[in-house]
C-alpha cells in the first residue's frame, strides 16, 4: 500500500519515516514547480482550499445549509494528527489503531507519516475561527469540502507508509461492523489506497471487503491510483479496490490555476486506460493546500512541498478521493435515504464531460456539485455485488510487501503471520462477524472498549511472520519508532534495511 508520503509526529523529531510512493514532481500550469514559501497567502493562491471549495461548488451547498453535519466519514489511512483545522470539538474520533506503531503509546492513532492528516483536512477540515455558513469566511480560514462532517480515523500505516493488505481488510471490516456503534453514523469510507493486484475483482479479498461496506450502506470512495504503478506488473488498470465496478472510483484533475472548469484537464498521474474500467468521476487533485504535520517526513525531506507554516501542497488521486468523499458527505446530509448506488449514479450521471485524458479516447466526467444542488436524485445503477472474496491474499498485494529483518510477509498469511483462509473470511464478513471483540482472524488486534473518543486496549499477541518473532507486545525501540530512514525512499527501494516496496497510497506528488 502507499500513501502520499509522510512525516513523523511528536517527540520523534527528525526520526522520520517514509512510504514507498513514486515521487513525481509535477509542474504548475505556468510551467514551473510551485515553490515552498516561508509566508503563504491563500488569497493569491489559485490552488488554495478556498479556491478548491469554490471550484467544486462546495460553498453553494454551505450557503444552502449543507455542510456534511451528521455524516461520519471513515478514513483508513496513516492516522490523523490533531493539528489546527482538525481540533474543533467533535471533529475527530479515533477508531482502533491497527498499524505496527500501535504498541508505542506516543505514536498510537497519530499520523507519523502525514498522509491521513492531509486527507482529513481536505474532507472535513474546519478552523476554529470559522463561522456558519462558512462561505463568508475569508480564504485564510481553512475549510474542507464538508466542514460539518466528522472524521472517524483508523490508522493502518506507519510513518514510512508500511501496511499490509490484511490490515486494510481488517480495518474495512471494523468500519462495517461498528458503523453505528456509540453514536457513530458512518456513511462514507474514504480510501486513498490501492494495490496493483493481478487478480480479478470477483475473487479478490480486498474487493470483497469493500463490497460488504457498500452493501451495508456505506459509500466507498477509492482512488484510481498512479498511472505508471498501475500499468506495471500486469496490473488491471485502476488500483485495487477502485477497479471493482461496484464502488466509486475517483480520478484527479488539474484546475490549471483558474476557477473555471472549462480548462480543467486530467491529471497525468491518474491511472486509466481505453481497455479497462476508468474512474467513475474525476475532480481537482493537483497542487492542493493541505494541513501539515510539523516534524514530519515531508517536512524533513521535501521542503519544496511546505506552504507557509501550517500547510503542505500535494497532488494525486489521494487528494481527489478526499475531495469526492467530502462531496458525498454533503449529498448524504441533504439526501440521507440515498443508497450507495444512488449516490454514485447521482454524481456520475450529472458530471461535466471534459476532454479525454492523455492517450485515451474516453471522456473525463468531472463531478459537478453546483448542478447537483438543484437536482433530485433518481434511481441508481445497481450492477450487483459480484466479488466472492475466495481468491489469494498474496495476489491482492501485487508487488507490495512488508519485510522485517529480511523476512518478507508473503503468501496466505496476515500481518501476524497467521494463515489466511479467504473463503472462510469472506463467509464471516458476509455475516458481519469477522471481528469478535478485539480479535480478527484469530488474533487480538485491538480492544473493544469505547472510552470517550478512542478505542483502547490495543494489543498484539506476539505471533510470528514465518518464524520471525515480533518483539513481545511492543514495537517501541524497534524499526518503526526508533530509527532514521535514509536513502532514496520515495523510489520504493529499501529503508534502512527494511523494504516497503509499495505504491499503495494513491498519490503522485508533493509540491
Amino acid at each position: 500500500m502507499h500513501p502520499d508520503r509522510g512525516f513523523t509526529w511528536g517527540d520523534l523529531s527528525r526520526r522520520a519515516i517514509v512510504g514507498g510512493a513514486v515521487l513525481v514532481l509535477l509542474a504548475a500550469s505556468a510551467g514551473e514547480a510551485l515553490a515552498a514559501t516561508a509566508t503563504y497567502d491563500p488569497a493569491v493562491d489559485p490552488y488554495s482550499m478556498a479556491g478548491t471549495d469554490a471550484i467544486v461548488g462546495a460553498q453553494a451547498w454551505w450557503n444552502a445549509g449543507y455542510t456534511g453535519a451528521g455524516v461520519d466519514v471513515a478514513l483508513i489511512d496513516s492516522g490523523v494528527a490533531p493539528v489546527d483545522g482538525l481540533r474543533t470539538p467533535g471533529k475527530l474520533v479515533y477508531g482502533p489503531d491497527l498499524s505496527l506503531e500501535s504498541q508505542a503509546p506516543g505514536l498510537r492513532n497519530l499520523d507519523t507519516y502525514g498522509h491521513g492528516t492531509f486527507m482529513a483536512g481536505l474532507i472535513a477540515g474546519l478552523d476554529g475561527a470559522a463561522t456558519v455558513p462558512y462561505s463568508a469566511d475569508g480564504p485564510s480560514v481553512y475549510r474542507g469540502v464538508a466542514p460539518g462532517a466528522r472524521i472517524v480515523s483508523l490508522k493502518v500505516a506507519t510513518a514510512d507508509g508500511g501496511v499490509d493488505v490484511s490490515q486494510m481488510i481488517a480495518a474495512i471490516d471494523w468500519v462495517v461492523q461498528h458503523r453505528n456503534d456509540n453514536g457513530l453514523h458512518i456513511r462514507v469510507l474514504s480510501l486513498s489506497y490501492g494495490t496493483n493486484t493481478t487478480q480479478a475483482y470477483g475473487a479478490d479479498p480486498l474487493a470483497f471487503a469493500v463490497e460488504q461496506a457498500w452493501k451495508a450502506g456505506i459509500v466507498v470512495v477509492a482512488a484510481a491510483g498512479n498511472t505508471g504503478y498501475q500499468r506495471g506488473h500486469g496490473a488491471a488498470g485502476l488500483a485495487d479496490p477502485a477497479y471493482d465496478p461496484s464502488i466509486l472510483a475517483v480520478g484527479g484533475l488539474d484546475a490549471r490555476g483558474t476557477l473555471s472548469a472549462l480548462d480543467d484537464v486530467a491529471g497525468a498521474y491518474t491511472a486509466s486506460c481505453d481497455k479497462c474500467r476508468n474512474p467513475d468521476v474525476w475532480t481537482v487533485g493537483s497542487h492542493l493546500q493541505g494541513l501539515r504535520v510539523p516534524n514530519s517526513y515531508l517536512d524533513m525531506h521535501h521542503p519544496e512541498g511546505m506552504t507557509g507554516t501550517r500547510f503542505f501542497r500535494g497532488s494525486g488521486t489521494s487528494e481527489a478521493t478526499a475531495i469526492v468523499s467530502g462531496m458525498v458527505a454533503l449529498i448524504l446530509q441533504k439526501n440521507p435515504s440515498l443508497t450507495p448506488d444512488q449516490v454514485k449514479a447521482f454524481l456520475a450521471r450529472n458530471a461535466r464531460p471534459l476532454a479525454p485524458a492523455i492517450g485515451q479516447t474516453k471522456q473525463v466526467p468531472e463531478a459537478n456539485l453546483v448542478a447537483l444542488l438543484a437536482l433530485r436524485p433518481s434511481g441508481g445503477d445497481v450492477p450487483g455485488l459480484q466479488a466472492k472474496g475466495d481468491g489469494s491474499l498474496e495476489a491482492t498485494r501485487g508487488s507490495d510487501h512488508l519485510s522485517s529483518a529480511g523476512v518478507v510477509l508473503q503468501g496466505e498469511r496476515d500481518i501476524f503471520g497467521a494463515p489466511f483462509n479467504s473463503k472462510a473470511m469472506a463467509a464471516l464478513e458476509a455475516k458481519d462477524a469477522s471481528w469478535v471483540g478485539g480479535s480478527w482472524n484469530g488474533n487480538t488486534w485491538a480492544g473493544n472498549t469505547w472510552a470517550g473518543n478512542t478505542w483502547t486496549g490495543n494489543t498484539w499477541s506476539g505471533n510470528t511472520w514465518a518464524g520471525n518473532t515480533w518483539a513481545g507486545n511492543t514495537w517501541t525501540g524497534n524499526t518503526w519508532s526508533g530509527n532514521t530512514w535514509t536513502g532514496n525512499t520515495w523510489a520504493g527501494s529499501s529503508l534502512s534495511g527494511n523494504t516497503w516496496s509499495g505504491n499503495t497510497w494513491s498519490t503522485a506528488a508533493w509540491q
Side-chain angles (χ1 to χ4, degrees):
M1 310 165 82
H2 97 250
D4 278 27
R5 277 15 165 174
F7 38 101
T8 45
W9 174 255
D11 61 3
L12 287 186
S13 186
R14 289 184 173 271
R15 298 176 182 177
I17 320 166
V18 49
V22 175
L23 176 61
V24 182
L25 286 179
L26 303 177
S29 57
E32 296 184 6
L34 295 169
T37 55
T39 59
Y40 172 66
D41 183 1
V44 298
D45 177 14
Y47 301 105
S48 70
M49 195 62 220
T52 299
D53 288 329
I55 290 170
V56 303
Q59 293 175 356
W61 282 68
W62 305 344
N63 287 336
Y66 304 109
T67 64
V71 178
D72 287 344
V73 180
L75 179 64
I76 299 176
D77 213 291
S78 58
V80 176
V83 297
D84 288 344
L86 293 170
R87 296 186 189 193
T88 307
K91 171 58 61 183
L92 176 64
V93 171
Y94 288 118
D97 184 340
L98 305 182
S99 77
L100 299 177
E101 292 175 345
S102 65
Q103 300 309 285
L107 304 181
R108 190 171 299 150
N109 294 316
L110 298 179
D111 186 4
T112 55
Y113 182 65
H115 186 270
T117 303
F118 197 107
M119 299 308 126
L122 298 180
I123 296 167
L126 181 64
D127 276 353
T131 55
V132 176
Y134 304 133
S135 57
D137 296 320
S140 62
V141 178
Y142 193 89
R143 295 142 297 172
V145 174
R150 183 169 63 172
I151 297 292
V152 180
S153 171
L154 278 81
K155 178 177 176 177
V156 291
T158 58
D160 64 345
V163 57
D164 184 61
V165 106
S166 62
Q167 292 165 281
M168 286 297 299
I169 295 172
I172 294 166
D173 288 357
W174 188 94
V175 168
V176 173
Q177 293 166 39
H178 296 276
R179 62 191 181 276
N180 296 317
D181 284 5
N182 302 294
L184 296 180
H185 186 55
I186 298 175
R187 293 296 313 276
V188 188
L189 172 55
S190 189
L191 296 175
S192 293
Y193 164 86
T195 72
N196 60 353
T197 181
T198 57
Q199 183 171 228
Y201 67 86
D204 190 85
L206 179 59
F208 185 84
V210 296
E211 286 197 7
Q212 300 318 294
W214 197 265
K215 179 180 176 182
I218 299 170
V219 181
V220 181
V221 187
N226 274 347
T227 297
Y229 179 66
Q230 292 308 134
R231 287 181 179 172
H233 312 287
L238 296 196
D240 179 7
Y243 79 140
D244 186 328
S246 297
I247 65 172
L248 182 58
V250 179
L253 299 173
D254 189 337
R256 303 183 71 183
T258 74
L259 295 181
S260 170
L262 298 178
D263 61 351
D264 292 355
V265 295
Y269 47 79
T270 299
S272 56
C273 62
D274 276 331
K275 297 181 180 180
C276 68
R277 161 169 160 76
N278 275 311
D280 298 297
V281 294
W282 303 58
T283 194
V284 288
S286 299
H287 320 303
L288 301 190
Q289 173 201 12
L291 299 176
R292 164 188 170 235
V293 179
N295 298 316
S296 71
Y297 178 86
L298 293 179
D299 269 8
M300 298 298 103
H301 297 276
H302 292 280
E304 69 275 13
M306 196 178 300
T307 306
T309 58
R310 283 190 60 195
F311 306 110
F312 221 80
R313 195 181 297 281
S315 300
T317 56
S318 279
E319 285 78 357
T321 296
I323 297 296
V324 170
S325 295
M327 292 181 181
V328 172
L330 297 178
I331 291 169
L332 286 172
Q333 183 191 2
K334 186 173 187 285
N335 306 279
S337 64
L338 292 185
T339 67
D341 287 304
Q342 289 172 323
V343 171
K344 178 181 176 181
F346 191 43
L347 277 166
R349 289 175 181 173
N350 298 292
R352 294 180 278 235
L354 300 180
I358 297 172
Q360 293 186 40
T361 58
K362 297 179 181 179
Q363 284 188 323
V364 172
E366 180 174 12
N368 184 4
L369 265 183
V370 174
L372 296 180
L373 184 58
L375 297 176
R376 182 185 299 274
S378 56
D381 296 324
V382 185
L385 302 178
Q386 303 177 54
K388 294 182 179 179
D390 57 356
S392 165
L393 187 69
E394 175 62 19
T396 303
R397 291 185 179 107
S399 63
D400 188 65
H401 292 82
L402 296 181
S403 70
S404 177
V407 178
V408 179
L409 176 56
Q410 59 187 338
E412 305 310 304
R413 295 176 177 272
D414 68 14
I415 191 67
F416 285 100
F420 182 87
N421 183 320
S422 59
K423 186 174 182 179
M425 179 60 68
L428 291 171
E429 289 173 313
K431 297 186 292 185
D432 278 5
S434 60
W435 277 95
V436 179
S439 296
W440 187 87
N441 199 36
N443 282 297
T444 300
W445 289 52
N448 60 354
T449 302
W450 184 268
N453 67 340
T454 62
W455 284 76
T456 59
N458 292 343
T459 58
W460 298 88
S461 57
N463 281 288
T464 64
W465 293 1
N468 186 42
T469 304
W470 293 15
N473 288 330
T474 179
W475 289 87
T476 352
N478 207 330
T479 46
W480 287 272
S481 62
N483 292 321
T484 299
W485 301 107
T486 59
N488 187 21
T489 51
W490 281 49
S493 54
S494 80
L495 307 174
S496 297
N498 285 281
T499 301
W500 309 101
S501 57
N503 282 308
T504 52
W505 298 101
S506 305
T507 190
W510 290 100
Q511 52 141 80

